[in-house]
Every structure is written in structure tokens, then in C-alpha cells.
Amino acid sequence: MAMTIHVDIVSAEGAIHSGLATMVYATAELGEVGIAPRHTAFISRLKPGDVRVENEQGDQEHFYVSGGMLEVQPHLVTVLADTAIRARDLDEAAALDAKRRAEDALAGQTAEFEYAKAQAELAEAIAQLRAIEKLRKMKGG
Amino acid sequence: MAGAKEIRTKIASIKSTQKITSAMEMVAASKMRKAQDRMAASRPYSEKMLQVISHLARATPEYRHSFMAAERERKRVGYIVVSSDRGLCGGLNSNLFRRLVGDIKEQRAAGAEAAFCTIGSKALGFFKRFGGNVLAQVSHLGDKPHIEDLIGPVKVMLDAFEAKEIDAIYVAGNEFVNTMTQRPVIRQLVPIVGEEQSEMPYHWDYIYEPDARTVLDALLTRYIESLVYQAVVENGACEQAARMVAMKSASDNAGNLIDELQLVYNKARQAAITQEISEIVSGAAAV
């Protein structure tokens, strides 16, 4: 029987693949790597590209990842895949966007948080909920 | 007797409301199941990441990323507030905000100001009404939130942390206990807590490409993003569960109301008939 290594491909939004493989290929930061079973511990960033998993029958499965991390231990390969394309300036743009949205939404607002008002309104909402609860109990009982 | 017809139209309108609320209940129930699956699916990623991060932290003790550094004095703290986009979900959001207001008060008593990042339009609306320093916001993530949408707001907070504008970041959202119970929780995100510093049983280390710091930095950012994503997904499941319960009780209440109105309607009808008969009888007697 051929030697195998366990492969997990997970992303933040869910598991993508899990199973045994005889060989795993991925596009690491400094070039393509091939991981065979009993590979030494290794960790690298991944570039957008293909992750190929070769199983015991010799079939290859392809997974596209848009980046992420590759972690290798002698019996385990983990691909922590990104679901989004990441780049410094893209992230920067997303951050600016989030800031701008906040500013737009809150234009003309004071930065001072008003506890008294907030607490009063919350107390009212909770009181309403409690009253509804009571009414329901009275009707039920 | 005052309008048997009026009562009849009232009953009809409550019936149509009941139809809507019971439809919403069923929709929420099916969405809740999917949201729960999503919640479970996001766990392996961050668990795996935490493993790698704690290993890296132990393997390279000379490098401390600022996210993992010791607590510094708190002058300003950041909250990432995760709320729902829509209402009609019972006390879900107001319970969370109440918990948050209490926490902000405590922080202020300890001498720390608060800054916010809101996720979901209910949180934004809340801070719109009551003020507050909102640094970033994102809303309308839909039923299937994507991590892409969270990268921006999280980065704003992390950048503020690195620039020492805020000294700690918390995430506030609802925790899914079960269908009936959702609990508002506030967890500390940065500096990262709960990572034990046990000695490694024997020394081994990764081969790094390109080097340990780059890898650790990339991992930490993703780890924090995945925690925020988890909070968002969990809050989504809470929202659906809360809506399901709220809509169920609304349908039940509508049912009770219809029963009561039906009784009033029957009485009114009876009274009208009785009156008519007595009028006919007295009319016949007069002849």
C-alpha cells in the first residue's frame, strides 16, 4: 500500500475537502511545492492558484484557492484557503470603503455617546417585552 | 349592537396578519437550520489557525506581534458590534445594546473611551440615534455573509489598534445557546487572550517561507477576521431563531385574538336576532 498523508482544505466559510492523498501540489509563495507523505514541517503563504491532491487511485483532484496558508506536518497537510482575493491595496480600499460608509451614515452626528437617552429607550423596550410576556402568561393561565 | 360587520372585517384582517406571521415563522425556521450549518462549518478554520498560531508563538518567542503583546493601558477601546439588519426578532438587538451600554459605562468608569465598528443596520441605527464614535460600518450582508465584506471594517479596527488609537478590541454579538435562548456576549479579540504558554514536549519547528514573521502576521489577521466572521454567522443564527420564536408567539396571539373576537361577534349577532324577534312580537301584539 502506498504511503498516504491526510489533507484538509478549509476556508473560513466551510470545509472544502478532507481525505488521504499520496501527493499534494500547491503554489507556495516562492514557487510550486509538492508535498509527499512524511514531509518535514513546513509553513508558507499560498499564491492564488491550483491545489492538486493525488489520491491512492492515482486520480488528481483540483481545487482553486485565491491565496491562503499551507501548513505541513509529517502526517497532515492543511490548506487554510482564503475565500477572497487578498492584496495590500485591495484590503486598504475595503477599509477606506468601510470608513466612508460610516461617515456617510453618521454625517452631522455628535461623537459623544448619550448613555441616558440610550438607556432610557432600552429600558422602555425591555419593559414592553416584559409586559407582553406577562400578558401572554395571564392569558395562558 | 355596534356593527357585527365591523367585527367581521377585523377578524379577517387579523387572520391575514396571522398568515403572514406564520409564514415568517416557517421561513425563519428553515433559514435558522442553514445558519446553524454555516456556524458549524466555520469552526475548523479558526481552530486550526489557533493551533498554528500558538505553535508559532512558542517556536519564535523573540518575536511578539502587537496583537499578542501584553495588555497596555486602556485609554480607548474598540467594539465591533454585530447586529441584525432587520427587526421583528424579539428583544435580540435591544438585549445586546443594553449589555453593550452597561459595558461602555464600566469602561468609561475605568477611564477608557469607546469607539465602534458596526455590522448590520440595527447597530448603525442605534449609534445614529445616540451618537458614538463609529469608525467603520457594514450592513446588508444578507443571509449568507461573506468574509470579503468584513475585511474592510476589521482592518479599520486593527489599523487603529496598531496606530495605538485604541488599546483593545472587543466583539459584541449574540451567542446561540439554543433555539429558545440567545445570550448577548462581549468577547475580547485583541490582544489575543486564552493562549496558554506551555512548554513544547520536544522542540520542532516549521520551515518558513518566506519567514516566520510574515507568516505569523498573515495568520493573525486572518484569525481575527475569522473570529469576527464567526460572530456574524452566529448572530445570524440567533436572529433567525429569535424571529422564529417571536413570529410563533405573534401567530398564537393572533389566534387568541380571533377566538375572542369571534365570541364577541356571536354575542352581537345573537343580540341583534333577539332584538328583531322582540320587535316583531311586540309589533304583532300591538295589532
Side-chain angles (χ1 to χ4, degrees):
Chain A
M1 202 188 97
M3 280 209 295
T4 54
I5 188 163
H6 195 87
V7 188
D8 282 318
I9 304 180
V10 291
S11 79
E13 290 172 21
I16 296 169
H17 174 81
S18 175
L20 291 173
T22 52
M23 196 75 184
V24 182
Y25 303 92
T27 329
E29 179 106 12
L30 303 178
E32 183 162 297
V33 290
I35 311 288
R38 315 283 189 275
H39 191 286
T40 185
F42 169 76
I43 195 162
S44 169
R45 283 203 297 204
L46 286 179
K47 282 199 204 160
D50 231 10
V51 173
R52 281 176 292 146
V53 178
E54 198 171 291
N55 64 17
E56 282 174 283
Q57 284 77 46
D59 301 327
Q60 279 198 353
E61 277 187 276
H62 292 252
F63 300 92
Y64 176 78
V65 293
S66 54
M69 307 291 300
L70 172 74
E71 190 228 352
V72 181
Q73 288 191 24
H75 299 278
L76 183 67
V77 177
T78 312
V79 178
L80 299 160
D82 286 345
T83 46
I85 295 173
R86 306 294 296 259
R88 184 169 282 275
D89 39 342
L90 277 179
D91 286 9
E92 206 73 60
L96 284 176
D97 214 35
K99 264 189 188 163
R100 190 186 44 73
R101 275 199 305 266
E103 279 159 15
D104 286 357
L106 295 169
Q109 281 287 314
T110 52
E112 197 56 36
F113 185 74
E114 292 174 49
Y115 298 96
K117 238 163 114 189
Q119 241 163 357
E121 181 158 309
L122 285 174
E124 200 184 303
I126 303 294
Q128 273 174 5
L129 282 171
R130 222 169 263 152
I132 291 169
E133 199 68 39
K134 258 188 202 153
L135 269 176
R136 199 173 300 145
K137 257 185 210 147
M138 257 163 56
K139 277 201 181 145
Chain B
M1 194 69 188
K5 195 162 174 249
E6 260 172 48
I7 300 174
R8 227 170 26 218
T9 43
K10 209 171 205 174
I11 289 178
S13 97
I14 293 174
K15 265 189 184 151
S16 66
T17 308
Q18 190 187 29
K19 264 182 208 152
I20 294 169
T21 55
S22 66
M24 281 179 84
E25 180 196 335
M26 283 186 275
V27 170
S30 87
K31 279 187 179 170
M32 183 186 79
R33 227 156 287 141
K34 278 184 209 144
Q36 272 179 296
D37 291 345
R38 225 167 279 135
M39 216 167 88
S42 69
R43 288 231 168 95
Y45 182 76
S46 59
E47 273 165 15
K48 189 73 207 173
M49 235 167 204
L50 188 62
Q51 264 176 34
V52 180
I53 287 171
S54 55
H55 180 90
L56 286 187
R58 271 178 271 148
T60 50
E62 77 282 1
Y63 177 58
R64 274 316 215 195
H65 192 278
S66 60
F67 296 162
M68 302 173 81
E71 303 260 335
R72 53 192 193 219
E73 199 202 336
R74 291 180 182 186
K75 293 207 184 76
R76 215 154 155 230
V77 292
Y79 289 94
I80 297 179
V81 186
V82 182
S83 73
S84 69
D85 273 327
R86 282 179 223 150
L88 290 182
C89 48
L92 188 78
N93 289 313
S94 45
N95 282 339
L96 174 68
F97 297 148
R98 195 162 67 131
R99 170 96 172 70
L100 188 65
V101 167
D103 211 69
I104 298 169
K105 212 169 193 179
E106 267 172 38
Q107 293 285 357
R108 185 169 275 190
E113 290 296 309
F116 307 96
C117 161
T118 66
I119 299 174
S121 47
K122 287 287 161 190
L124 184 68
F126 180 73
F127 289 111
K128 238 184 190 166
R129 265 175 290 147
F130 302 118
N133 187 3
V134 179
L135 299 179
Q137 72 101 358
V138 61
S139 53
H140 303 292
L141 296 176
D143 293 326
K144 249 189 258 161
H146 290 296
I147 211 151
E148 285 104 299
D149 303 319
L150 300 173
I151 291 171
V154 172
K155 190 172 162 55
V156 170
M157 295 307 266
L158 292 180
D159 284 352
F161 180 81
E162 291 209 75
K164 306 216 160 139
E165 282 162 20
I166 51 180
D167 304 305
I169 303 175
Y170 294 91
V171 62
N174 280 290
E175 184 188 16
F176 189 91
V177 183
N178 56 44
T179 316
M180 299 301 287
T181 324
Q182 295 87 36
R183 196 185 308 137
V185 285
I186 297 177
R187 293 195 188 95
Q188 182 168 335
L189 270 188
V190 183
I192 292 172
V193 283
E195 160 225 349
E196 83 282 16
Q197 287 293 328
S198 60
E199 282 299 303
M200 276 190 271
Y202 53 91
H203 189 83
W204 64 276
D205 202 357
Y206 292 106
I207 301 171
Y208 297 98
E209 231 179 68
D211 60 90
R213 286 176 188 209
T214 326
V215 170
L216 193 54
D217 290 357
L219 270 174
L220 282 172
T221 318
R222 282 171 176 74
Y223 177 62
I224 289 160
E225 277 163 8
S226 81
L227 288 185
V228 175
Y229 174 78
Q230 268 183 4
V232 171
V233 177
E234 188 158 4
N235 196 68
C238 288
E239 181 193 345
Q240 299 303 343
R243 179 164 300 134
M244 191 179 90
V245 173
M247 288 302 116
K248 182 167 169 43
S249 67
S251 310
D252 291 351
N253 287 348
N256 290 341
L257 214 54
I258 289 169
D259 287 349
E260 278 165 31
L261 281 175
Q262 194 70 50
L263 210 64
V264 174
Y265 171 72
N266 288 347
K267 273 183 189 157
R269 199 178 62 115
Q270 200 80 51
I273 292 169
T274 314
Q275 196 187 357
E276 225 165 89
I277 290 174
S278 67
E279 269 166 17
I280 291 169
V281 168
S282 56
V287 170

